[in-house]
Amino acid sequence: MNIEPDEDELLNGSPDPSWEYYLLWHRIKSIQAQIEKGLMAISEAQTVNYEIEFEVMNLLIPPFNELKQIITELHPEPYPNRPA
């Protein structure tokens, strides 16, 4: 498995569109961006603020659901012999 950064990604900030995981990469990057928005919202807070918590919750629910969808698409059936 090659984990070295792709040359296109280093030059353009995005992998080669012909890469088989190109669309999945973009979906996961979108999830990452939404999570980072949630982190930014709480990092700017000085004290506990329920409005911020509500905002963070609303920021995180869509990427959470998208990530669950991706996982289901990648492997819709439970893994055989998977430890409990």
Side-chain angles (χ1 to χ4, degrees):
M1 177 179 190
N2 184 5
I3 58 171
E4 293 296 318
D6 180 82
E7 185 176 330
D8 287 324
E9 186 176 347
L10 292 174
L11 294 174
N12 306 318
S14 180
D16 181 343
S18 66
W19 181 39
E20 291 180 9
Y21 286 116
Y22 181 74
L23 294 176
L24 177 61
W25 183 90
H26 276 285
R27 288 174 72 189
I28 294 171
K29 289 297 279 185
S30 175
I31 291 168
Q32 180 183 20
Q34 291 173 306
I35 292 170
E36 287 173 1
K37 286 180 185 177
L39 288 170
M40 289 300 296
I42 60 171
S43 68
E44 296 168 357
Q46 300 295 319
T47 59
V48 172
N49 181 326
Y50 295 108
E51 290 176 5
I52 290 175
E53 290 178 6
F54 186 75
E55 176 187 351
V56 170
M57 180 185 69
N58 285 323
L59 286 169
L60 295 180
I61 288 173
F64 172 75
N65 289 333
E66 178 68 12
L67 186 56
K68 286 192 319 185
Q69 181 64 35
I70 289 170
I71 292 167
T72 300
E73 290 170 9
L74 291 173
H75 203 292
E77 300 295 323
Y79 288 104
N81 303 321
R82 187 172 118 190

